[in-house]
């Protein structure tokens, strides 16, 4: 007898596929591991296929599991969108919003905005995760990515929610010891502190200036993949950094850091990015609009002085 896959089991399956762990899925959902195993077994019976390769260390999707995962994501999204279309969510969004961002921006800038959004929309469950790496929104199950810099993917919707630029700066103590560069070419002779970020080529700074777009290869004693560390190293006098206006506004105002080659900058606007299938989601649309309004009222990152 044919057994139809159940929607709740498809949702559970997507969570297991994301975490690649029955135990982590159980912890996230507040249910037992035995319940997770039982429901996955029911789904495998329904589709008449094994969905996971199981080992003592981890589980991975089978080839058939990959196909079911693609369809399960689409089915769950379509059901959610149907519910939004026939509900009053356009006025008051509810349900779960999974979003991600980079670590530094997420902690210092996005978190306060989400706090305000949680107060504005009390029926909305907001789940934020922070990464300093590229994120596959569809594969990792995120509905929204608040991203700084370029958006390269063709299969996503993007909306700029705040202007921002990266600028060059260093501590006065560093410039007193090593001098201040007068041209981009002179950066090659200086100690620079590059950072590995989502959208930047490591050690290659591409900047807009009086002569158009120019690129320079930089190096130094120190490098990191965390903006807070890089900023502190610059304050300590270890070299020149290229950082976003939102990250160094207080240090520039206090004189801990000073602008270097102020005629040059790197565009790094703040974008809301979401899968094209969710472009009609009232939940996502209202949240993006809220964040654009919030950043517009609370911050200005668009100039080299900010």
């Amino acid at each position: 007898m044919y057994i139809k896959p159940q929607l709740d089991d498809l949702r559970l399956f997507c969570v297991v596929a994301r975490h690649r762990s029955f135990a982590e899925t159980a912890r996230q959902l507040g249910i037992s591991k035995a319940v997770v195993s039982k429901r996955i077994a029911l789904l495998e019976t329904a589709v008449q296929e094994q969905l996971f390769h199981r080992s003592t260390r981890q589980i991975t999707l089978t080839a058939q599991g990959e196909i079911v995962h693609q369809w399960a994501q689409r089915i769950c999204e379509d059901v959610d969108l149907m519910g939004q279309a026939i509900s009053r969510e356009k006025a008051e969004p509810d349900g779960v919003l999974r979003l991600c961002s980079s670590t530094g921006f997420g902690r210092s800038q996005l978190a306060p905005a989400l706090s305000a959004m949680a107060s504005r929309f009390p029926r909305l469950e907001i789940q934020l995760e922070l990464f300093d790496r590229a994120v596959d929104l569809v594969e990792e199950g995120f509905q929204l990515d608040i991203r700084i810099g370029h958006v390269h993917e063709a299969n996503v919707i993007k909306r700029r929610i705040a202007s921002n630029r990266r600028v060059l700066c260093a501590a006065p103590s560093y410039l007193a010891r090593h001098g201040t560069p007068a041209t981009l070419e002179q950066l090659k002779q200086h100690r620079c502190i590059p950072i590995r970020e989502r959208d930047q080529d490591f050690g290659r700074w591409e900047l807009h200036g009086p002569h158009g777009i120019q690129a320079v290869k930089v190096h130094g004693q120190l490098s990191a993949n965390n903006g807070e560390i890089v900023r502190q190293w610059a304050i300590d006098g270890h070299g020149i950094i290229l950082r976003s206006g939102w990250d160094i506004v207080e240090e520039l105002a206090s004189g801990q850091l000073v602008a270097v080659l102020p005629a040059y900058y790197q565009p790094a606007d703040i974008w809301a990015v979401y899968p094209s299938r969710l472009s009609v989601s009232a939940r996502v649309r209202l949240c993006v609009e809220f964040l654009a309004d919030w950043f517009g009222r609370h911050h200005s990152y668009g100039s080299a002085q900010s």
Side-chain angles (χ1 to χ4, degrees), residues 108-121:
S108 67
Q109 307 295 310
L110 181 58
L114 295 181
S115 176
M117 190 165 74
S119 298
R120 172 64 180 82
F121 302 127

Side-chain angles (χ1 to χ4, degrees), residues 280-292:
V280 296
S281 167
R283 179 190 309 155
V284 171
R285 178 177 54 79
L286 279 175
C287 292
V288 170
E289 290 175 355
F290 179 92
L291 292 175

Side-chain angles (χ1 to χ4, degrees), residues 45-58:
T45 300
V47 299
Q48 299 180 10
E49 295 286 354
Q50 181 180 342
L51 301 177
F52 293 105
H53 295 298
R54 296 164 172 84
S55 71
T56 55
R57 293 195 173 191
Q58 65 174 356

Side-chain angles (χ1 to χ4, degrees), residues 15 30 59 117 129 131 154 255 265 273 287 291:
V15 179
I59 62 172
M117 190 165 74
E129 295 190 37
F131 307 97
Y265 68 94
V273 183
C287 292
L291 292 175

